[in-house]
Amino acid sequence: MSDNEVLISVKDLCKHYNMGAIKALDGITTDIKKGEVVVIIGPSGSGKSTFLRSLNLLERPTAGSITFEGVDITSPKTDINKLRMKMGMVFQHFNLFPHLSIIDNMTLAPVKLLKMSKEDARNKAQQLLDKVALGDRGNAFPSQLSGGQKQRIAIVRALCMSPDVLLFDEPTSALDPEMVGEVLDVMKDLANDGMTMVVVTHEMGFAREVGSRVIFMDEGRIIEEGTPDEIFTNPTNGRLKSFLAKVL
Amino acid sequence: MYIGCKVPYVVLALPSWLQQLKDDFTLNFIDDKRYMYLVKGLGATLEITFFAVLLGIALGVVAAIIRSSHDKTINDMRPGFGKVLLKVLNAIVKVYLTIIRGTPVVVQLMITYYIIFASSTNQIMIAVLAFGFNSGAYVAEIIRSGIMSIDNGQFEAGRSLGFNYVQTMTYIIIPQAFKNVLPALANEFIVLIKETSISGYVGIQDLTRGGDVIRSRTYSAFMPLLAVAAIYLLIVVFFSKLVSILERRLRNSER
Ligand SMILES: Nc1ncnc2c1ncn2[C@@H]1O[C@H](COP(=O)(O)OP(=O)(O)O)[C@@H](O)[C@H]1O
Ligand SMILES: [Mg+2]
């Protein structure tokens, strides 16, 4: 799957608050390659969300650069909306649009932004719904769904835009334990289909099984980075060891 | 005697107070077709209210978007033309809100009529503008509170799909905000219907003035003024009912 082509290149990324008193990101450099599943782990407050949200500029970095498909997205001349269409995002709290039916949640962006015909968009949405075993819920509203179902919808809503990368910020943290599996299964299928994914999660089983690379962050920096095997089986860094001791 | 004789007796000789009411009614509404003052007045009241509501919503939505956009994004905006424009627009809106909410609507109406449009004779249009601009200020604050009450995650979800700021507002935030503030908006329009009753100050023959004209012709206040009150009450009750039906529908669409 992975053909070594760099999709997102991050250099010396910093995000400071209060004139530098708080360094949410303190110099992050990494490349995300096509087809990779990059899993980001680390203690709470270590900057995982800030990093992920910088990738599609929901957070504006204070310094450093992010290149996506060869375009410097932090440059003022870049049309960030165009780029965001190719970067899907899945949130901890789903953020489905409560005033729209499931099918409308999914077709709104393709119809308005990609100028897809309503019919094509619906067909595509229906195919994706079938894929996540929610084919019969298209006319339901978000409030009628369980958390696990909402998150599966959120994933396929992002997929309706045919993105080149999907960003997940703790997609299972708001779910009841019995619903975590159904969401992780969908993500696993996506990974197997070759989707490029950046996933912030506390699900170490998922990181180990599905991740092609694991990044351990603390205090706004990348402390360790490597294959799941390197990170989980033979951790050398002290902070990583004590973090893993707490979560495993 | 038989019962048959009693019936015409009752009809012909009404108790005196009832007879008085009947005479009063005839004098105030039937003679000289005086009821037409109420009919025409009601027409003017409804016309003014309807168009003022439309204008108020349009102004209110625009003002609310400017205010909340400013408050939400000004700190994250890059310096440039957009930022300056937003600051200027926000300042204009703030002045508008302060003036409208800081002065009595009757004074605003008179200023609109006697100063701003002194040369115009289209009274209804002047009233629509005065009440529309007035209502817009209150609608703006209602809708702004609605926008601010929407979870920021909704906004981020919209932006992350690739919608720009205005599209996110239009397709995602405003529809939800509007739904949340519908009761408050309905209340504002009920207030507006009643507020148009001051239109007589600038010589507009609205419902209230219609009743007052009858009173001045017949020297009898009871009937015309109660009729006017009853008509306002009916409209308001009817409108409230309509809104509660709409509210229920909107709510059902989320269940
Ligand atoms: N708006 C903000 N103002 C000040 N500090 C912030 C703000 N947002 C995040 N931070 C700080 O940045 C750090 C990283 O936060 P975050 O990226 O959410 O961590 P994580 O997702 O790993 O838990 C935290 O210390 C947090 O308190
Ligand atoms: Mg986080």
Side-chain angles (χ1 to χ4, degrees), chain A residues 15-18 22-25 42-53 59 169-170 200 202 217 220:
Chain A
K15 172 76 179 182
H16 294 176
Y17 291 105
N18 301 347
I22 301 173
K23 296 187 165 81
L25 296 180
S44 172
S46 57
K48 306 181 296 295
S49 296
T50 309
F51 172 61
L52 194 75
R53 293 156 52 82
E59 304 282 356
D169 193 357
E170 301 201 23
V200 174
H202 294 297
M217 283 182 67

Side-chain angles (χ1 to χ4, degrees), chain A residues 94-109:
Chain A
F94 330 126
N95 297 346
L96 296 180
F97 306 133
H99 63 301
L100 298 178
S101 67
I102 298 309
I103 208 86
D104 288 342
N105 260 275
M106 296 173 69
T107 56
L108 182 69

Side-chain angles (χ1 to χ4, degrees), chain A residues 53 56 60 74 76 81 84-85 87 89 91 95-99 108-109 112-113 141 143-144 157 161, chain B residues 76 78 151 153-154 156-165 167 171-172 175-176 179 253-255:
Chain A
R53 293 156 52 82
N56 66 352
R60 197 163 272 288
T74 51
N81 299 314
R84 282 187 182 137
M85 292 179 205
M87 309 173 103
M89 188 161 215
F91 301 85
N95 297 346
L96 296 180
F97 306 133
H99 63 301
L108 182 69
K112 303 284 184 194
L113 296 174
F141 280 81
S143 59
Q144 297 169 313
R157 177 176 71 179
M161 292 295 282
Chain B
D76 299 332
R78 283 181 291 229
D151 177 38
Q154 291 291 308
E156 293 186 339
R159 295 308 300 267
S160 77
L161 285 166
F163 288 112
N164 64 29
Y165 184 86
Q167 289 168 326
Y171 300 131
I172 296 157
Q176 295 183 56
K179 197 188 316 195
S253 76
E254 270 186 27
R255 283 299 105 109

Side-chain angles (χ1 to χ4, degrees), chain A residues 19-198:
Chain A
M19 319 293 292
I22 301 173
K23 296 187 165 81
L25 296 180
D26 192 16
I28 302 273
T29 300
T30 191
D31 284 346
I32 292 155
K33 300 187 191 74
K34 226 175 195 168
E36 249 192 326
V37 177
V38 176
V39 179
I40 301 173
I41 61 173
S44 172
S46 57
K48 306 181 296 295
S49 296
T50 309
F51 172 61
L52 194 75
R53 293 156 52 82
S54 299
L55 295 180
N56 66 352
L57 245 51
L58 281 186
E59 304 282 356
R60 197 163 272 288
T62 0
S65 73
I66 303 165
T67 312
F68 173 63
E69 298 183 337
V71 182
D72 177 9
I73 68 169
T74 51
S75 149
K77 275 167 266 168
T78 308
D79 181 357
I80 186 61
N81 299 314
K82 275 259 149 53
L83 294 176
R84 282 187 182 137
M85 292 179 205
K86 297 188 199 166
M87 309 173 103
M89 188 161 215
V90 176
F91 301 85
Q92 181 176 353
H93 295 286
F94 330 126
N95 297 346
L96 296 180
F97 306 133
H99 63 301
L100 298 178
S101 67
I102 298 309
I103 208 86
D104 288 342
N105 260 275
M106 296 173 69
T107 56
L108 182 69
V111 169
K112 303 284 184 194
L113 296 174
L114 303 179
K115 307 293 170 205
M116 211 186 257
S117 78
K118 268 214 165 99
E119 203 190 329
D120 288 350
R122 278 179 165 263
N123 289 338
K124 175 161 193 178
Q126 190 57 50
Q127 276 176 18
L128 286 164
L129 281 176
D130 290 338
K131 221 173 168 181
V132 295
L134 290 170
D136 56 340
R137 304 313 305 274
N139 292 320
F141 280 81
S143 59
Q144 297 169 313
L145 304 182
S146 72
Q149 291 174 327
K150 281 183 197 164
Q151 196 59 300
R152 282 186 276 159
I153 297 296
I155 293 172
V156 288
R157 177 176 71 179
L159 287 176
C160 278
M161 292 295 282
S162 309
D164 295 341
V165 58
L166 273 184
L167 313 173
F168 296 81
D169 193 357
E170 301 201 23
T172 58
S173 294
L175 297 177
D176 291 336
E178 77 268 21
M179 294 172 182
V180 170
E182 65 192 62
V183 171
L184 292 181
D185 285 344
V186 169
M187 293 167 63
K188 227 175 279 179
D189 288 345
L190 275 175
N192 289 334
D193 289 348
M195 173 60 79
T196 312
M197 294 159 56
V198 185

